Amino acid sequence: MSRDYYTAREAMTVLGLSKTEFHRRSQQGRIPKYTPPGKKQSLYPAAEIDALARSMNMIFELHDRFVFSRSTIAEQE
């Protein structure tokens, strides 16, 4: 198989998603897929899956840096 595409299992691993969440997002069109003519099994473009994984990781890294605290009345104005 060409490394231009991942299988569903490989894409799930790269993205760190459960099978259910992966297929839900795929059905919603949030995970790009390609089904070759005459085939039932879809393939997932490696470049796009890798980019999606990087952006997901960036969001989680930023999330760890957020610090929430109670605001004062002056800060709310």
Side-chain angles (χ1 to χ4, degrees):
M1 177 186 303
S2 170
R3 286 292 77 194
D4 292 337
Y5 293 93
Y6 289 132
T7 63
R9 183 177 303 248
E10 291 169 331
M12 278 185 264
T13 301
V14 170
L15 294 171
L17 297 174
S18 68
K19 184 176 181 178
T20 303
E21 185 63 22
F22 177 82
H23 288 293
R24 179 182 306 124
R25 291 183 185 197
S26 180
Q27 291 296 329
Q28 293 170 340
R30 296 171 66 194
I31 296 176
K33 68 179 178 180
Y34 165 70
T35 306
K39 300 285 183 174
K40 291 184 179 181
Q41 184 178 9
S42 294
L43 299 173
Y44 301 84
E48 292 184 51
I49 296 299
D50 292 339
L52 182 57
R54 282 191 301 275
S55 65
M56 288 170 60
N57 287 333
M58 186 184 318
I59 289 169
F60 291 130
E61 287 173 9
L62 289 174
H63 182 268
D64 291 340
R65 295 181 191 160
F66 292 139
V67 176
F68 293 95
S69 61
R70 196 165 276 201
S71 64
T72 65
I73 298 295
E75 292 172 327
Q76 294 177 14
E77 294 176 354

